[in-house]
């Protein structure tokens, strides 16, 4: 049958192509002839394609012939009796998680090819794909669309006409949506240097990998060996060989599949003889066994074993999981085992505590799999993260200790999966740059507690980059993914895992605890006031209104009224840490609709500057405490968001003195008006230059711009006994002496347009004897933002609420 001037592969290719087009080249007894061809190939000592490829070619051709050749339909089944049928488990991902379903519950038709490249040999790969032989091969296989990434290299794509009956080709630059392309593709063609290869394997996609003969370094050689064990096709270089590879792949096995209840789907291509599995015999009028193949139903434990086997197979395991004598050292932990089933008494170690003094000790840690780097089928590196700390773990195939299946299981893990690692501490000779801890764990046991989805909406790596990294990449022509603020907040659960965010909220926690500690030492009492009140606590209309049992109510803008009532109640000095609600439509970098308020109220003996004294002592103590106890966190923040440490030598100025400094600098201020953001920043710069401090207090503000409960100045009623505190040129604190006389308080409330009836209990509390007092309120998020030199207050709010955001 074969032409002696052509290779066996060429002849098979010619035979198969003629079958696809329904040409007259199909012999009268095609299967018998093709069986002879297979026998011929199997006897060739120089056959480079392997038994699996030959079998796949037969199955592919047989399936195509039954679909398009009328000749074969007339053949009797006894003509095929000499051929041993094969049971095939289709290589398809789980439909309800990887693909969308149509109205009948079947997976949609997949006709898209995606080409992804690494950083080397871009032009050669794209030139091979963008060639007539390859595009013709793809079109023959039923593909309609080809997407080619052109993010790098000097290749200029040919113009492709979008005519009916031709393969459509799209070119696009690198983008963060590559994962979406991978998920929607039916076939992926990838350069060996691309990181998308392993993601493609996890998705269970057919994959063609390019290995360039002039770039066969150790990494590519190991990858070639790895892919060979996984039965994925790969080629060296050249459009004709690529076209033959595409035409030979059994893509027909990837057929629409309708899942049944309890069905399990094998994620590997597995060919078994009739003696090893149930053979599906096909007779006249019966359904195609390939297109309707389903795995058997099983128990929960069987499903768990299947999941483990699928993960191992997907990662390259060649041996059966169940027969691995070391299988108890790794695997997925069933949910029932983490439902507080038992107490084992095991001792756990925090990743941040791992150090070289622990060399040789066996430790048990739990964390997130931040990075999985297989270097060969026998070695994999796993970086485990716990809070801000990371440690590098190594798994190496070792006889009677670590099996190849265990390495494959580790490779199959998805990023951010929660894992338990047990192993021995070792200290490498070289500096570890990919982890915070300068030790390694030689893994002995590895268990997955909870597996993350393969495609995360954002990655920790992308969300952790600094502006310096972006600038360097831009200078070198590299394009990095930039995660925007809204994307971060929409996926806050992942965004919070970045080192900088971990550090920010630890600084916030340490700061608020020092706030408490200092005030408690100063004999302040912590109180807790209601957040649903009958009327405004600050004046004005910027409140969140709600209905309270049929009555109008609002969320408290501040604990101001109640902490004053606590002073009247004889507490002397009080403070509160709690939520504050402001309904103002402020779309700025420093305003939130809900924030954590730091509120203080205290009796004063002679002057409201006694409150200023507390402010200066308190915040100097907080800043000192943060610098002394959060050096690691501040360093981490500075790595992603560079900032200069604040200078906080206290300085006091009057409002008029501040305005005069601004006028001398050419900044005009409305007479007796409040300072806007630009004026505050300018004044902060002037004070910093003149007094060498970023922390100062401005006193004696005009009364008309202060709340109704602010005490007027004794010598000029147009001014008030009030103050603001500034840090890096932005206000962080507002405070004052309060009006403790009920008649004056009533008059001021009416002048400010407040319905006195809604605050009658507040005013009445001063009728029974009230000492002179004053206090202040600060926003915790704004203090942390400015102390750390951040550019947006939302970075300091765990789940920020602003005029446009109410979730997550």
């Amino acid at each position: 049958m074969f032409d002696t001037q052509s290779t066996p592969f060429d002849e098979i290719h010619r035979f198969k192509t003629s079958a696809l087009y329904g040409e007259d080249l199909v012999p009268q007894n095609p299967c018998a002839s093709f069986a002879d061809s297979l026998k011929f190939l199997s006897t060739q000592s120089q056959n480079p394609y392997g038994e699996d490829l030959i079998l796949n070619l037969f199955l592919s051709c047989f399936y195509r012939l039954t679909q398009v050749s009328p000749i074969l339909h007339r053949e009797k089944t006894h003509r095929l009796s000499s051929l041993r049928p094969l049971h095939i488990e289709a290589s398809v991902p789980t439909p309800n998680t990887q693909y969308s379903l149509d109205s009948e519950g079947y997976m949609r038709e997949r006709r898209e090819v995606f080409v992804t490249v690494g950083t080397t040999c871009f032009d050669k790969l794209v030139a091979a794909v963008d060639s007539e032989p390859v595009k013709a091969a793809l079109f023959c296989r039923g593909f309609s669309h080809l997407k080619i990434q052109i993010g790098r290299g000097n290749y200029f794509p040919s113009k492709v006409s979008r005519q009916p009956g031709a393969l459509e080709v799209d070119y696009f630059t690198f983008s963060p949506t590559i994962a979406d392309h991978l998920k929607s593709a039916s076939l992926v063609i990838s350069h060996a240097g691309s990181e998308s290869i392993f993601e493609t394997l996890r998705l269970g996609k057919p994959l063609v990998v390019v290995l360039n003969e002039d770039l066969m370094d150790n990494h590519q050689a190991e990858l070639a060996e790895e892919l060979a064990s996984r039965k994925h096709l790969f080629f060296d270089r050249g459009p004709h060989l690529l076209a033959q590879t595409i035409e030979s792949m059994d893509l027909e096995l990837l057929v629409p599949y309708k899942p049944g209840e309890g069905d399990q789907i094998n994620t590997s291509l597995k060919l078994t003889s009739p003696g090893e599995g149930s053979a599906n015999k096909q007779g006249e009028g019966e359904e195609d066994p390939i297109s309707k193949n389903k795995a058997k139903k099983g128990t929960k434990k069987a499903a768990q074993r299947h999941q483990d086997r699928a993960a191992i197979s997907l990662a390259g395991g060649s041996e059966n999981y169940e027969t691995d004598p070391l299988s108890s050292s790794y695997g997925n932990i069933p949910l029932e085992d983490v439902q507080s089933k038992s107490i084992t008494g095991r001792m756990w170690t925090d990743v941040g505590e791992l150090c070289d003094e622990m060399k040789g000790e066996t430790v048990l840690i739990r964390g997130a799999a931040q990075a999985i780097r297989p270097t060969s089928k026998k070695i994999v590196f796993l970086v485990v993260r716990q809070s801000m700390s990371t440690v590098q773990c190594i798994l190496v195939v070792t006889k009677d200790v670590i099996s190849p299946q265990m390495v494959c299981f580790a490779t199959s893990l998805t990023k951010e999966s929660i894992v338990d690692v047990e192993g021995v501490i070792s200290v490498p000779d070289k500096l570890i740059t990919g982890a915070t801890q300068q030790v390694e764990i030689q893994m002995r046991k590895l268990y997955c507690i909870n597996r993350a989805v393969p495609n995360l909406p954002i990655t920790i790596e992308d969300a952790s980059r600094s502006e310096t990294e972006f600038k360097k990449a831009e200078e070198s022509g590299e394009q990095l993914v930039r995660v925007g603020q809204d994307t971060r907040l929409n996926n806050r659960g992942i965004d919070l895992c970045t080192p900088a965010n971990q550090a920010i909220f630890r600084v916030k926690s340490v700061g608020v605890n020092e706030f408490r500690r200092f005030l408690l030492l100063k004999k302040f009492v912590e109180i807790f006031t209601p957040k649903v009140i009958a009327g405004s606590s600050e004046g004005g209309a910027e409140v969140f209104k709600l209905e309270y049992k049929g009555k109008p109510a609002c969320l408290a803008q501040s604990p101001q009224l109640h902490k004053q009532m606590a002073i009247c109640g004889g507490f002397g000095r009080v403070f509160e840490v709690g939520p504050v609600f402001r309904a103002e439509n402020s779309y700025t970098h420093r305003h939130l609709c809900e924030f954590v308020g730091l509120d203080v109220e205290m009796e004063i003996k002679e002057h409201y500057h006694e409150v200023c004294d507390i402010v200066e002592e308190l915040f100097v103590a907080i800043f000192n405490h943060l610098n002394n106890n959060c050096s690691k966190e501040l360093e981490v923040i500075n790595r992603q968001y560079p900032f200069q440490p604040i200078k906080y030598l206290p300085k006091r100025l009057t409002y008029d003195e501040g305005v005069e400094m601004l006028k001398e600098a050419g900044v005009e201020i409305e007479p007796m008006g409040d300072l806007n953001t630009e004026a505050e920043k300018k004044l902060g710069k002037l004070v910093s230059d003149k007094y060498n401090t970023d922390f100062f207090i401005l006193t004696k503000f005009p009364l008309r711009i202060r709340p109704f409960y602010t005490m007027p100045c004794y010598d000029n009623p147009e001014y008030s006994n009030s103050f603001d505190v500034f840090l890096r040129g932005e206000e962080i604190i507002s405070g004052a002496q309060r009006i403790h006389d009920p008649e004056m308080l009533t008059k001021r409330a009416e002048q400010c347009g407040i319905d006195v009836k809604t605050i009658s209990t507040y005013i009445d509390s001063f009728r029974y004897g009230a000492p002179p007092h004053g206090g202040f309120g600060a926003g915790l998020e704004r203090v942390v933002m400015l102390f750390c030199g951040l550019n947006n207050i939302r970075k300091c709010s765990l789940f920020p609420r602003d005029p446009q955001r109410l979730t997550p």
Side-chain angles (χ1 to χ4, degrees):
M1 169 181 172
F2 287 104
D3 182 354
T4 57
Q5 301 300 317
S6 61
T7 66
F9 192 96
D10 292 333
E11 192 64 25
I12 293 175
H13 170 56
R14 186 179 70 84
F15 173 81
K16 183 179 178 183
T17 303
S18 66
L20 290 174
Y21 290 125
E23 298 175 1
D24 293 334
L25 294 176
V26 180
Q28 293 299 311
N29 190 353
C31 288
S33 300
F34 195 77
D36 294 335
S37 304
L38 292 178
K39 292 177 182 177
F40 174 83
L41 275 179
S42 63
T43 61
Q44 303 303 302
S45 59
Q46 300 300 321
N47 172 28
Y49 306 107
E51 180 182 356
D52 288 338
L53 179 56
I54 296 172
L55 293 174
N56 290 345
L57 280 170
F58 166 70
L59 293 168
S60 178
C61 290
F62 174 71
Y63 177 76
R64 282 289 186 181
L65 285 168
T66 59
Q67 299 298 311
V68 302
S69 174
I71 299 173
L72 186 60
H73 283 296
R74 294 195 297 269
E75 293 290 323
K76 302 300 182 182
T77 56
H78 72 270
R79 304 292 298 271
L80 306 177
S81 59
S82 61
L83 299 177
R84 299 181 66 192
L86 297 175
H87 175 63
I88 301 167
E89 294 180 350
S91 171
V92 293
T94 306
N96 58 357
T97 59
Q98 300 296 348
Y99 295 97
S100 59
L101 303 179
D102 61 20
S103 59
E104 298 180 359
Y106 287 88
M107 287 189 294
R108 301 182 189 279
E109 191 175 33
R110 297 156 298 181
R111 298 293 186 185
E112 187 174 275
V113 181
F114 178 60
V115 181
T116 174
V117 297
T119 57
T120 56
C121 283
F122 168 86
D123 302 332
K124 296 177 182 178
L125 172 59
V126 178
V129 177
D130 188 25
S131 64
E132 290 307 319
V134 173
K135 289 188 285 189
L138 291 170
F139 186 71
C140 289
R141 298 308 305 276
F143 293 107
S144 59
H145 214 98
L146 174 64
K147 291 185 177 180
I148 304 178
Q149 173 189 319
I150 56 171
R152 305 178 180 88
N154 299 314
Y155 181 77
F156 295 96
S158 61
K159 294 183 179 180
V160 180
S161 60
R162 296 180 177 273
Q163 297 178 354
L167 184 73
E168 293 187 358
V169 183
D170 280 341
Y171 301 91
F172 66 97
T173 57
F174 180 85
S175 73
T177 60
I178 283 184
D180 295 331
H181 293 296
L182 290 173
K183 284 192 288 187
S184 63
S186 302
L187 171 66
V188 178
I189 303 174
S190 180
H191 180 262
S194 174
E195 296 180 356
S196 301
I197 288 178
F198 292 100
E199 184 64 24
T200 304
L201 294 176
R202 293 190 183 99
L203 291 172
K205 301 290 186 176
L207 172 67
V208 177
V209 178
V210 184
L211 296 176
N212 296 294
E213 57 188 4
D214 54 344
L215 288 174
M216 283 293 292
D217 56 19
N218 292 333
H219 171 72
Q220 290 194 357
E222 291 171 351
L223 182 59
E225 182 181 5
E226 184 84 1
L227 290 169
S229 68
R230 302 181 188 202
K231 299 179 181 178
H232 283 270
L233 300 176
F234 57 93
F235 69 102
D236 290 328
R237 194 171 56 179
H240 293 285
L241 187 53
L242 174 56
Q244 290 179 346
T245 302
I246 293 170
E247 290 182 343
S248 68
M249 295 184 74
D250 279 302
L251 299 175
E252 289 86 355
L253 296 179
L254 292 171
V255 294
Y257 179 84
K258 186 173 182 179
E261 185 178 357
D263 278 3
Q264 299 297 321
I265 301 173
N266 193 358
T267 57
S268 66
L269 178 61
K270 182 179 179 182
L271 303 178
T272 59
S273 68
E276 296 171 331
S278 60
N280 290 321
K281 298 181 180 181
Q282 184 181 13
E284 292 185 357
E286 291 184 289
E287 291 184 339
D288 182 3
I290 297 177
S291 64
K292 297 299 181 182
N293 179 61
K294 299 180 181 180
K296 295 180 179 181
K297 298 181 180 180
T299 62
K300 290 184 179 180
K301 290 186 177 179
Q304 183 66 53
R305 290 196 300 269
H306 171 82
Q307 185 178 0
D308 291 341
R309 290 197 302 271
I312 293 169
S313 175
L314 191 59
S318 58
E319 300 180 44
N320 194 299
Y321 172 79
E322 292 177 333
T323 62
D324 181 11
L326 302 174
S327 61
S328 62
S329 296
Y330 62 96
N332 296 303
I333 300 299
L335 178 61
E336 62 183 27
D337 286 351
V338 291
Q339 288 183 291
S340 301
K341 184 177 181 180
S342 61
I343 298 176
T344 63
R346 292 179 296 171
M347 299 299 294
W348 299 80
T349 303
D350 288 339
V351 172
E353 296 176 357
L354 300 176
C355 58
D356 52 7
E357 286 82 5
M358 302 172 68
K359 181 178 180 180
E361 294 184 18
T362 298
V363 296
L364 175 62
I365 65 170
R366 175 173 292 177
Q370 179 168 292
I372 305 107
R373 298 192 301 270
T375 61
S376 73
K377 63 181 180 181
K378 295 184 178 181
I379 303 175
V380 62
F381 289 84
L382 178 67
V383 177
V384 177
R385 184 188 70 253
Q386 184 186 50
S387 301
M388 292 172 54
S389 303
T390 53
V391 63
Q392 182 168 273
C393 307
I394 306 174
L395 196 61
V396 182
V397 172
T398 308
K399 186 178 180 181
D400 299 329
V401 180
I402 306 297
S403 65
Q405 292 96 319
M406 185 173 178
V407 173
C408 294
F409 173 78
T411 304
S412 75
L413 292 172
T414 53
K415 288 184 178 181
E416 299 306 307
S417 293
I418 306 302
V419 297
D420 285 353
V421 172
E422 183 177 315
V424 179
I425 296 292
S426 64
V427 181
D429 297 331
K430 297 181 180 179
L431 178 70
I432 300 176
T433 57
T436 61
Q437 307 309 113
Q438 293 305 304
V439 297
E440 293 177 332
I441 297 180
Q442 305 295 325
M443 287 190 279
R444 295 295 179 263
K445 295 182 179 181
L446 174 64
Y447 303 102
C448 182
I449 304 300
N450 186 270
R451 189 177 291 264
V453 296
N455 297 290
L456 300 171
I458 60 176
T459 67
I460 304 301
E461 181 183 9
D462 292 338
S464 301
R465 292 193 178 104
S466 66
E467 282 299 322
T468 302
E469 292 178 270
F470 284 114
K471 289 180 181 179
K472 288 182 179 179
E474 188 176 335
E475 292 172 357
S476 63
E478 183 182 5
Q479 291 180 306
L480 297 178
V481 176
R482 184 186 291 272
V483 183
Q485 186 70 51
D486 282 341
T487 302
R488 289 178 181 275
L489 297 180
N490 290 339
N491 302 279
R492 194 58 159 165
I494 303 176
D495 183 48
L496 290 174
C497 294
T498 64
N501 279 335
Q502 289 285 311
I504 288 170
F505 290 101
R506 279 167 170 74
V507 168
K508 188 175 179 180
S509 174
V510 172
V512 76
N513 279 308
E514 178 61 16
F515 175 84
R516 281 192 172 98
R517 188 198 67 84
F518 177 90
L519 293 176
L520 291 172
L521 288 176
K522 294 291 184 178
K523 299 182 179 180
F524 281 78
V525 177
E526 185 171 10
I527 60 174
F528 307 94
T529 62
K531 303 308 168 193
V532 179
I533 59 177
S536 171
S537 52
E538 290 283 348
E542 296 170 345
V543 296
F544 289 107
K545 297 180 180 180
L546 53 90
E547 181 180 310
Y548 186 80
K549 298 295 184 179
K551 300 178 181 179
C554 62
L555 296 178
Q557 296 167 298
S558 138
Q560 181 61 47
L561 309 186
H562 293 90
K563 66 180 182 178
Q564 283 188 256
M565 293 169 69
I567 294 296
C568 295
F571 283 94
R573 293 183 165 194
V574 298
F575 74 93
E576 180 175 10
V577 178
V580 172
F581 303 91
R582 301 288 172 89
E584 53 196 9
N585 291 320
S586 297
Y587 300 88
T588 74
H589 74 285
R590 66 178 188 172
H591 286 93
L592 291 171
C593 289
E594 179 185 350
F595 59 89
V596 177
L598 306 176
D599 281 271
V600 174
E601 204 71 23
M602 56 181 283
E603 292 184 11
I604 59 176
K605 305 300 183 184
E606 296 178 341
H607 203 284
Y608 76 95
H609 280 193
E610 296 169 22
V611 182
C612 296
D613 295 339
I614 289 291
V615 169
E616 290 177 340
E617 291 181 50
L618 169 62
F619 281 87
V620 167
I622 292 175
F623 298 154
N624 284 336
H625 188 77
L626 292 177
N627 285 327
N628 295 334
N629 296 277
C630 295
S631 56
K632 177 182 177 181
E633 287 80 2
L634 294 174
E635 180 183 351
V636 170
I637 297 170
N638 191 54
R639 197 177 303 142
Q640 182 170 1
Y641 306 113
F643 68 94
Q644 292 295 325
I646 62 169
K647 300 170 289 185
Y648 49 94
L649 179 67
K651 177 64 181 177
R652 294 185 196 177
L653 299 168
T654 65
Y655 168 86
D656 287 341
E657 289 173 335
V659 170
E660 186 62 29
M661 290 180 66
L662 289 170
K663 287 182 178 179
E664 291 177 359
V667 179
E668 291 297 327
I669 302 297
E670 177 189 354
M672 305 297 283
D674 205 356
L675 303 182
N676 58 30
T677 301
E678 292 72 18
E680 288 180 356
K681 290 185 175 181
K682 182 63 176 179
L683 181 59
K685 180 67 169 56
L686 295 173
V687 172
S688 179
D689 292 342
K690 185 173 182 178
Y691 300 105
N692 195 34
T693 184
D694 298 316
F695 177 64
F696 67 94
I697 299 178
L698 208 60
T699 65
K700 205 171 183 180
F701 275 80
L703 182 64
R704 71 182 184 91
I705 61 174
R706 307 303 284 194
F708 75 95
Y709 47 75
T710 304
M711 180 68 77
C713 186
Y714 80 97
D715 57 350
N716 189 341
E718 292 188 354
Y719 288 86
S720 63
N721 295 344
S722 61
F723 62 90
D724 280 355
V725 182
F726 296 85
L727 185 63
R728 294 189 195 269
E730 296 193 45
E731 177 203 331
I732 61 170
I733 294 172
S734 181
Q737 180 181 358
R738 321 300 187 185
I739 298 176
H740 61 282
D741 180 80
E743 281 69 32
M744 180 184 289
L745 189 58
T746 300
K747 183 178 179 180
R748 279 288 298 154
E750 291 172 346
Q751 290 174 349
C752 293
I754 297 175
D755 185 357
V756 178
K757 295 179 181 178
T758 63
I759 58 172
S760 59
T761 55
Y762 164 68
I763 296 177
D764 288 343
S765 64
F766 297 106
R767 302 186 188 279
Y768 316 125
H773 59 279
F776 62 88
L780 177 59
E781 288 83 359
R782 192 179 294 187
V783 172
V784 174
M785 175 188 75
L786 294 170
F787 180 82
C788 297
L790 300 172
N791 63 354
N792 197 305
I793 196 170
R794 290 156 186 81
K795 289 184 170 70
C796 302
S797 177
L798 200 65
F799 299 101
R801 296 290 180 261
D802 59 31
Q804 294 179 318
R805 180 168 294 278
L806 193 57
T807 58

